[in-house]
Amino acid sequence: MEILHNLWQRRGRVSLTLLGIVIGVFALVVMGAMAERVNIMLTGATRFLADRIVIGERGGGGLFGSGTLPAGLASDIRQVPGVALVESAVALMLKDDQNFSFGMPDILEGVNVEEVARLSTKAAGPSDFKFAQGGWWQPQEHLKAVVGADIAREYGLRLGSALESRGKTFTVVGILQRMMTGPDKMAFVPIADARAILRDSHPVFRALDVDSLVGSLYAIPALGHNPDQVAQAIQERLPANKVYSPSEARKQIAGFSAVFNLVILGSTMVALLVGGLSIMNTMVVSVSERVREIGLKKALGAGDNDILKEFLLESLVIGLVGGLMGLLAGGILVVSVNHFTAPGGTTIFTVTPRLALGSLGFSALLGVGAGMVPALRAARLDPIEALRDR
Amino acid sequence: MVEALDVHKVYRTGQRPFPALRGVTFTLQPGEFVSVMGRSGSGKSTLLHILGCLDRPTSGQVRLGGMEVSRLPARELPALRRSKIGFVFQHHNLLPSLTALGNVMLPLRYSRISTREAQNRALALLEEVGLADRAGHRPAELSGGEQQRVALARALVNEPELLLADEPTGELDSQTARHIVGVMRRLNRSRGQTFLLVTHDPTVGEAADRVVEMLDGRIVGPKAAVQGGERPAHGLEP
């Protein structure tokens, strides 16, 4: 109560100090929520690629870049010991007029259903496609679609719904559970339908034999085989291609994640530093205004540690209150923006418990850290000199 | 019993050292009510600070209840003040952010006593000084005399052996000052604690068992108690 009364007595100055912390924590929460969203998607990507070996073009777009690969490579890869099956895919934008959006765009992915449906029998890994409703289409069927969770929500799809894409109408036969990675924003269709769309999309593709091309190739290692070793074997068999083992994929993703987090969070530290300096300034002034009070308390039996604790508690309260307000303000913004963007299939922010507790913890720590120097000064005051202060 | 044995205090600030106390020796018997009088600069406040373990003598000894306290390490002094000494100051005695009850409880915060126990003790003392009905009021809502009574209650809440007051009536009008001195005298008799008051106020001198006079850092002589000479001056060496 004494602390609250002291803060209330100086409410003008304390409010400005709080504002500094609020802004800092607000920035931390908003930027952190963006980083957490990316982290979750990257974690999902890591999980998705945990048992997938990516075969790409040498000098191509890296792990996520799609190019054009000969479809015949799939049979070469199947012959490598330790390869359980090979997924071939042709990826296109779901809509012709796709606008720029944060994160991955909506993808129409043509797949060989015989390959993907065998995943659960051969790999049984965390990257399995799990269905919320329905299942895969039959091998000879056309114009069927299995959609990811974000696609289903964005276009209001249920089983039996029609999905219009690139001039064709697909019937939804399966809706996947949320995977927190790429497939959430994908509509899977028969590879022949995707190739037909590709052929019709540009004159250059009419000149190519698109049936002999794929956009991406994934090799699934058989259970009991070391995926990195299988990847090495594939690389040796296909020296002209670039093969990414799961551990290499993990490293690339981790590297991107680290850089992203560094940039995002580093910038918020600047804002928080300003808030911390603000607390320090307020506490320095508070100590100098209460010198006599400190002398009195020491005369009454307060030790140096008692005085130190009292002032640290005060700066901790300032940090925590500012942190709570910043968390609330950041949370409101995040929820509001997500509310507007989610129907369009894009979720930009995720406030995780780690982020919320971390923000509060950090602001409390900032309060204590910033208050340490003035609190030490208060604790070390000579009681007689302090009692003489007017 | 409180004893000062050849206590010297020299301040070494500035160019020249300043001797604030020059060999003070005296004894306070348990339960005495003594006032120390003298002009500004006579060393009264320095003596009070040393007896109150807020400062240490340059040489000499101070004993409280038979324990030699003048050479104790600084980190042990707060505990000593908590358990053996109570203070009343002239002004700005109370914390404005606390109620009267909160102010009286303040020393007990540092004694690690439970809040309930602290509250009970504080209320009992406010009752003794006649302010139990003002327990919830902040200092700004109390008169000068009421504030000093609260300060008195606070000084006694830890059951100290020695109560030290530095000009306790300095900012009070004469009527209120007499009232405060009366309260202090009553508490001294009822509780048996030793009271030492540094003062310019003759009202306080009149109420004391004996008066010690100081000049230039020395005790220059006892004054006989003015109250009908009930107790003779004793235990003093010039």
Side-chain angles (χ1 to χ4, degrees):
Chain A
M1 284 309 291
E2 185 188 348
I3 289 175
L4 294 176
H5 189 272
N6 281 332
L7 293 176
W8 181 252
Q9 286 291 104
R10 299 164 180 82
R11 53 190 175 277
R13 184 193 316 148
V14 169
S15 300
L16 287 171
T17 305
L18 278 176
L19 190 62
I21 296 290
V22 168
I23 290 170
V25 175
F26 172 81
L28 178 63
V29 169
V30 171
M31 302 298 262
M34 196 185 296
E36 288 287 67
R37 181 70 187 172
V38 170
N39 283 335
I40 286 168
M41 295 192 66
L42 291 176
T43 302
T46 303
R47 207 170 46 240
F48 185 72
L49 294 173
D51 54 3
R52 275 182 168 80
I53 297 164
V54 180
I55 295 94
E57 289 181 305
R58 211 169 261 286
L63 200 58
F64 300 110
S66 62
T68 48
L69 298 163
L73 274 181
S75 54
D76 287 342
I77 296 167
R78 274 190 211 101
Q79 287 167 32
V80 174
V83 172
L85 57 89
V86 177
E87 283 179 278
S88 317
V90 171
L92 301 158
M93 300 291 266
L94 184 69
K95 298 287 181 181
D96 290 333
D97 57 351
Q98 191 102 5
N99 291 324
F100 173 80
S101 67
F102 181 80
M104 194 177 130
D106 299 340
I107 299 290
L108 184 80
E109 179 121 328
V111 296
N112 188 330
V113 71
E114 286 160 331
E115 291 170 350
V116 292
R118 281 162 60 200
L119 265 176
S120 57
T121 58
K122 289 288 180 182
S127 59
D128 273 359
F129 294 104
K130 292 189 179 65
F131 283 87
Q133 297 175 60
W136 294 109
W137 56 87
Q138 296 304 310
Q140 299 310 316
E141 287 186 301
H142 288 279
L143 296 179
K144 305 291 183 188
V146 165
V147 298
D150 283 343
I151 300 287
R153 187 175 61 176
E154 183 180 350
Y155 296 100
L157 301 173
R158 293 195 298 271
L159 287 186
S161 296
L163 172 65
E164 303 286 337
S165 173
R166 310 293 290 265
K168 293 197 182 298
T169 304
F170 297 88
T171 305
V172 176
V173 297
I175 299 174
L176 296 172
Q177 289 182 16
R178 183 166 296 283
M179 295 173 71
M180 294 306 291
T181 187
D184 289 342
K185 291 180 76 67
M186 287 181 177
F188 297 92
V189 298
I191 198 168
D193 294 334
R195 281 180 172 139
I197 294 171
L198 184 66
R199 192 181 303 115
D200 296 339
S201 67
H202 199 279
V204 71
F205 288 113
R206 291 197 196 100
L208 291 170
D209 178 15
V210 296
D211 290 342
S212 67
L213 297 173
V214 290
S216 12
L217 277 169
Y218 302 102
I220 312 298
L223 287 174
H225 282 76
N226 183 312
D228 290 341
Q229 286 174 355
V230 174
Q232 175 68 25
I234 296 172
Q235 181 71 83
E236 284 165 7
R237 188 156 183 119
L238 306 174
N241 291 88
K242 174 65 186 161
V243 178
Y244 297 91
S245 65
S247 56
E248 208 171 331
R250 233 181 348 260
K251 253 186 256 173
Q252 271 210 19
I253 292 169
F256 173 73
S257 173
V259 169
F260 186 79
N261 284 331
L262 202 66
V263 168
I264 292 288
L265 295 177
S267 58
T268 65
M269 290 302 119
V270 174
L272 280 166
L273 187 67
V274 171
L277 289 172
S278 182
I279 291 183
M280 189 184 289
N281 181 58
T282 295
M283 294 307 297
V284 164
V285 173
S286 182
V287 167
S288 66
E289 285 176 347
R290 290 152 68 182
V291 167
R292 176 155 174 107
E293 175 188 318
I294 294 164
L296 190 65
K297 285 179 172 174
K298 287 196 164 195
L300 297 177
D304 288 2
N305 279 344
D306 295 312
I307 302 296
L308 181 75
K309 275 183 231 170
E310 285 183 15
F311 279 90
L312 281 181
L313 193 59
E314 201 165 305
S315 59
L316 169 68
V317 167
I318 294 175
L320 260 179
V321 170
L324 268 167
M325 291 168 69
L327 180 60
L328 193 67
I332 289 171
L333 179 78
V334 154
V335 165
S336 306
V337 171
N338 276 349
H339 178 73
F340 283 111
T341 62
T346 302
T347 304
I348 299 176
F349 302 105
T350 301
V351 178
T352 57
R354 171 175 79 169
L355 177 63
L357 289 173
S359 303
L360 282 178
F362 191 82
S363 59
L365 217 64
L366 190 69
V368 170
M372 185 61 74
V373 166
L376 279 170
R377 201 176 139 236
R380 288 171 186 164
L381 281 174
D382 177 75
I384 296 174
E385 289 301 320
L387 282 166
R388 285 199 189 114
D389 189 79
R390 290 288 184 264
Chain B
M1 184 186 286
V2 180
E3 293 174 277
L5 302 167
D6 192 31
V7 169
H8 291 257
K9 179 67 184 180
V10 179
Y11 289 111
R12 297 181 193 283
T13 54
Q15 296 261 340
R16 291 167 58 185
F18 172 69
L21 294 178
R22 303 171 194 236
V24 168
T25 296
F26 80 103
T27 305
L28 287 174
Q29 297 298 333
E32 274 202 281
F33 192 101
V34 174
S35 72
V36 176
M37 301 187 76
R39 298 156 79 175
S40 292
S42 60
K44 321 186 288 295
S45 294
T46 304
L47 177 63
L48 184 137
H49 292 152
I50 288 175
L51 291 178
C53 299
L54 287 172
D55 200 357
R56 278 187 284 189
T58 310
S59 65
Q61 280 189 18
V62 175
R63 291 177 184 279
L64 291 180
M67 184 170 83
E68 213 269 291
V69 298
S70 36
R71 297 284 170 259
L72 282 180
R75 65 179 178 278
E76 292 183 31
L77 296 180
L80 194 66
R81 287 196 292 273
R82 276 199 294 274
S83 59
K84 292 192 181 292
I85 301 162
F87 282 97
V88 177
F89 298 102
Q90 178 178 353
H91 45 222
H92 305 299
N93 249 311
L94 306 180
L95 297 187
S97 54
L98 298 176
T99 60
L101 182 66
N103 269 288
V104 177
M105 285 169 66
L106 186 59
L108 298 176
R109 182 196 294 182
Y110 307 117
S111 297
R112 319 286 187 257
I113 284 174
S114 73
T115 308
R116 181 183 286 272
E117 166 79 18
Q119 215 165 43
N120 290 341
R121 281 210 222 170
L123 276 169
L125 270 159
L126 282 172
E127 181 81 44
E128 279 201 63
V129 300
L131 287 174
D133 59 334
R134 307 282 271 162
H137 289 253
R138 293 219 146 83
E141 297 161 345
L142 303 173
S143 67
E146 287 172 336
Q147 288 183 32
Q148 284 301 64
R149 279 191 276 158
V150 172
L152 202 50
R154 184 183 64 195
L156 294 169
V157 79
N158 256 341
E159 309 278 334
E161 290 179 24
L162 173 65
L163 187 141
L164 297 169
D166 192 354
E167 304 284 0
T169 59
E171 293 193 346
L172 304 175
D173 60 80
S174 57
Q175 186 176 351
T176 309
R178 268 196 296 277
H179 178 63
I180 290 296
V181 172
V183 171
M184 293 170 87
R185 202 65 247 237
R186 177 172 55 76
L187 289 169
N188 163 250
R189 287 194 183 109
S190 65
R191 298 172 73 89
Q193 282 144 326
T194 309
F195 277 52
L196 186 135
L197 284 69
V198 163
T199 185
H200 288 106
D201 189 346
T203 312
V204 178
E206 284 170 12
D209 293 335
R210 62 187 164 104
V211 177
V212 171
E213 192 171 355
M214 291 190 69
L215 180 66
D216 295 334
R218 291 190 177 90
I219 292 176
V220 293
K223 281 188 176 177
V226 181
Q227 279 177 285
E230 285 152 5
R231 292 195 196 196
H234 56 78
L236 293 174
E237 293 165 18

